[in-house]
């Protein structure tokens, strides 16, 4: 499909809402030191994993139920409600010192964030012009990734300056107030992209969408891919120690640089590609990379592979989201994009559970073989998608 140049991507509303997304994800990245903070509280360490995971578990449960009700006509209210909830949650961490109070706070915080994130994604998707989905999701993925590159390195300095971790969270609660002028300068309305009339989805529309073969294939591929990605993320430190590699965190520093770099350089070319072929081939290349990861012998190979995998992740993540957008009916694009986020949450839940079993049964070789098989299966799902006129030329 020829790329449209009639409607600009960088409208004022698109910029405003992307800045709001950046602020929302800053307040996820600040929990990089959460486990360390939990160790200062009178809570048994056996509960730390649950307390960390509750935030994502809430999103996993809630998003499918609230996504059909989120549309541009009510999104401003949802964003306001979610922002106020997140601000209140961040400010309350200093008072949650017991297991029960911390569990309740994590549940509340997760619910507030999923309302905020779902509504933000709804209005952003409405502002993606036809033929610009690859570029839009490439840039959006940079916006969501930047906080993880910026915030963790400065947390120690902020804690020293502000007096502790709860004070840092309260400070970032204050920064969330900037979201309100961003959404009220010009309220959400129908986007310039597809011109569809916004509104709540009917049950029949949702079920018809979920029975559509190509949508199911893309969502399944996303779930498999993110399950494999989660295996790399959660089990890499132990694997690096097992291989005698010091400072394994540098692996993700290099991969993050690769992800951001490839998106900055190539995002404007994503819509000139056949997204189905690009996603499928990149997933196959990542599967090969995961197999190589299980065989690395030294630090140089280990870190070089981190940079190369970052390039692959930097391409396939936005391309999968753009492919889902392109293959969705216009009215269902926001709903399906939120389902794509659900696959991310599902992968980060299913991947570690299955990975722990693989690691227990066969060690790291079996773990990364399993990881490669997951991504190989994801590539297979993509190649099963029917050919469509929505695919651009290579």
């Amino acid at each position: 499909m020829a790329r449209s140049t009639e409607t600009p991507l960088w409208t004022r509303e698109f910029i405003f809402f992307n800045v709001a997304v950046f602020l929302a994800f800053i307040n996820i990245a600040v929990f990089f030191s959460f486990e360390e903070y939990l160790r200062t509280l009178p809570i048994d360490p056996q509960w730390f994993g649950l307390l960390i995971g509750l935030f994502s578990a809430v999103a996993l449960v809630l998003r499918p139920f609230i996504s059909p009700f989120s549309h541009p006509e009510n999104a401003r209210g949802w964003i306001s409600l979610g922002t106020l909830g997140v601000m209140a949650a961040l400010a309350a961490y200093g008072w949650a010192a017991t297991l029960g109070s911390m569990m309740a706070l994590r549940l509340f915080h997760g619910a507030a964030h999923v309302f905020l994130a779902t509504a933000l994604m709804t209005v952003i998707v409405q502002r993606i012009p036809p033929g610009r989905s690859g570029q839009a999701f490439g840039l959006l993925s940079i916006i969501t990734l930047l906080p993880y590159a910026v915030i963790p390195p400065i947390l120690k300095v902020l804690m020293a300056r502000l007096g502790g971790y709860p004070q840092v969270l309260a400070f970032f609660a204050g920064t969330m107030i900037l979201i309100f002028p961003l959404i009220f300068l010009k309220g959400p309305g129908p986007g310039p992209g597809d011109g569809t009339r916004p509104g709540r989805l009917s049950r029949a529309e949702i079920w018809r969408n979920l029975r559509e073969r190509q949508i199911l294939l893309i969502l399944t591929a996303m779930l498999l891919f993110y399950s494999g990605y989660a295996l790399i993320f959660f089990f890499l430190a132990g694997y690096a120690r097992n291989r005698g590699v010091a400072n394994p965190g540098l692996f993700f520093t290099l991969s993050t640089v690769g992800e951001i770099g490839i998106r900055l350089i190539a995002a404007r070319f994503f819509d000139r590609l056949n997204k189905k072929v690009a996603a499928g081939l990149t997933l196959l290349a990542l599967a090969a990379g995961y197999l190589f990861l299980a065989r690395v012998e030294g630090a140089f190979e280990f870190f070089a592979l981190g940079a190369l995998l970052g390039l692959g992740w930097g391409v396939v993540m936005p391309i999968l989201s753009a492919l889902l957008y392109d293959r969705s009916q216009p009215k269902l694009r926001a709903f399906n994009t939120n389902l794509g986020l659900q696959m991310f949450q599902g992968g980060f839940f299913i991947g570690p559970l299955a990975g722990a079993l693989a690691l227990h049964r066969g060690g790291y070789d079996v773990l990364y073989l399993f990881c490669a098989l997951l991504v190989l299966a994801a590539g297979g799902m993509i190649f099963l998608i029917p050919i469509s006129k929505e695919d651009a030329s290579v």
Side-chain angles (χ1 to χ4, degrees), residues 231-232 235-236 238-240 242-243 290-291 293-295 351-373:
L231 288 176
I232 302 294
F235 294 98
L236 190 75
Y239 175 65
N242 184 269
R243 295 285 180 171
Y290 294 166
L291 290 176
L293 184 59
R295 295 287 185 267
L353 289 179
L357 180 62
L359 181 62
H360 176 72
R361 293 289 179 88
Y364 286 105
D365 286 348
V366 172
L367 175 69
Y368 288 117
L369 173 61
F370 176 61
C371 184
L373 290 174

Side-chain angles (χ1 to χ4, degrees), residues 11 29 52 66 156 159 186 216 227 247 260 262 266 358 384 387:
T11 61
I52 293 169
I66 67 175
K156 293 292 185 182
M159 284 189 279
K186 186 170 183 180
L216 287 175
S227 295
N247 193 17
I260 294 176
I262 194 68
L384 288 174
I387 297 173

Side-chain angles (χ1 to χ4, degrees), residues 278-333:
L281 292 179
T282 306
L283 286 167
L284 296 182
L286 285 170
Y290 294 166
L291 290 176
F292 281 120
L293 184 59
R295 295 287 185 267
V296 295
E297 298 294 337
F300 177 80
E301 292 180 11
F302 180 77
F303 293 127
L305 194 53
L308 292 173
L309 289 175
L311 295 176
W313 295 332
V315 171
V316 78
M317 289 180 185
I319 288 290
L320 284 173
S321 296
L323 182 62
L324 181 62
Y325 173 95
D326 288 348
R327 294 303 184 95
S328 300
Q329 295 296 319
K331 190 177 180 181
L332 287 152
R333 283 171 175 164

Side-chain angles (χ1 to χ4, degrees), residues 52-247:
I52 293 169
L54 275 177
F55 183 92
S56 294
V58 173
L60 195 61
V61 172
L62 275 185
R63 186 175 279 113
F65 294 100
I66 67 175
S67 292
F69 299 95
S70 177
H71 52 80
E73 290 179 335
N74 66 10
R76 180 166 54 189
W78 280 46
I79 294 169
S80 300
L81 179 66
T83 300
L84 289 172
V86 170
M87 292 173 68
L90 289 169
Y93 275 90
W95 284 274
T98 64
L99 176 62
S101 62
M102 187 61 77
M103 288 180 68
L105 180 57
R106 293 293 284 170
L107 289 169
F108 174 77
H109 189 188
H113 177 77
V114 76
F115 272 87
L116 171 61
T118 299
L120 281 172
M121 196 57 60
T122 296
V123 292
I124 287 176
V125 165
Q126 285 294 120
R127 284 159 176 80
I128 299 176
R132 305 293 287 275
S133 60
Q135 183 182 11
F137 283 106
L139 295 169
L140 180 60
S141 63
I142 293 173
I143 296 295
T144 59
L145 192 62
L146 277 176
Y148 296 97
V150 174
I151 298 301
I154 66 172
L155 277 178
K156 293 292 185 182
V157 175
L158 289 175
M159 284 189 279
R161 293 287 182 88
L162 298 176
Y165 187 65
Q167 288 77 13
V168 171
L169 295 180
F171 168 77
F172 281 106
T175 67
M176 294 288 285
I177 201 169
L178 297 173
I179 288 179
F180 292 104
L182 292 170
I183 66 171
F184 281 101
L185 283 172
K186 186 170 183 180
D194 50 56
T196 56
R197 182 179 179 182
R200 174 180 167 181
L201 297 174
S202 68
R203 185 177 300 177
E205 287 174 317
I206 293 170
W207 283 113
R208 188 161 54 247
N209 173 69
L210 293 177
R211 289 196 298 268
E212 193 170 340
R213 178 171 174 245
Q214 62 182 350
I215 299 300
L216 287 175
L217 286 169
I218 297 170
L219 290 173
T220 303
M222 294 175 83
L223 179 63
L224 292 169
F225 165 71
Y226 283 117
S227 295
Y229 180 82
L231 288 176
I232 302 294
F233 184 83
F234 286 110
F235 294 98
L236 190 75
Y239 175 65
R241 287 193 298 269
N242 184 269
R243 295 285 180 171
V245 176
N247 193 17

Side-chain angles (χ1 to χ4, degrees), residues 1-9 128-133 135 192-193 271:
M1 184 175 67
R3 175 174 159 177
S4 171
T5 57
E6 296 179 0
T7 306
L9 175 63
I128 299 176
R132 305 293 287 275
S133 60
Q135 183 182 11
D271 292 301

